[in-house]
Amino acid sequence: MAITTTDQNDDNKPLDQSGVKLGINVSVTGKELEVAGATAFRSSAEGGGTAVGITGDGIVWWNGSYEPGNHTSGWKSTLMLANGNLEALTG
């Protein structure tokens, strides 16, 4: 997995790709990126846009007006992975 860092001068510098793994809230990593907890992907850097959240228990969430300052509000569960099957949820 290629990871690039940017320093204070906006110079991009790639890290050595051999063996780079990133873990968030985990003590040991196996894959290139592992997250324990919920991850949000949002359309706006400041907030107010849409967001999709994915949790480790296999639920995909959607938020039509995500605000980082009120990060628990507005989410609707949409999909769930259960026993290898993808199921649609109603919210």
Side-chain angles (χ1 to χ4, degrees), residues 52-77:
V52 173
I54 301 173
T55 59
D57 56 359
I59 299 177
V60 177
W61 297 81
W62 179 82
N63 190 324
S65 184
Y66 178 69
E67 291 293 340
N70 192 13
H71 62 90
T72 60
S73 175
W75 292 98
K76 298 191 182 329
S77 55

Side-chain angles (χ1 to χ4, degrees), residues 24-75:
I24 300 172
N25 287 336
V26 298
S27 56
V28 177
T29 58
K31 299 290 184 184
E32 287 84 1
L33 173 62
E34 295 189 7
V35 178
T39 305
F41 302 91
R42 58 193 207 186
S43 63
S44 170
E46 290 78 33
T50 59
V52 173
I54 301 173
T55 59
D57 56 359
I59 299 177
V60 177
W61 297 81
W62 179 82
N63 190 324
S65 184
Y66 178 69
E67 291 293 340
N70 192 13
H71 62 90
T72 60
S73 175
W75 292 98

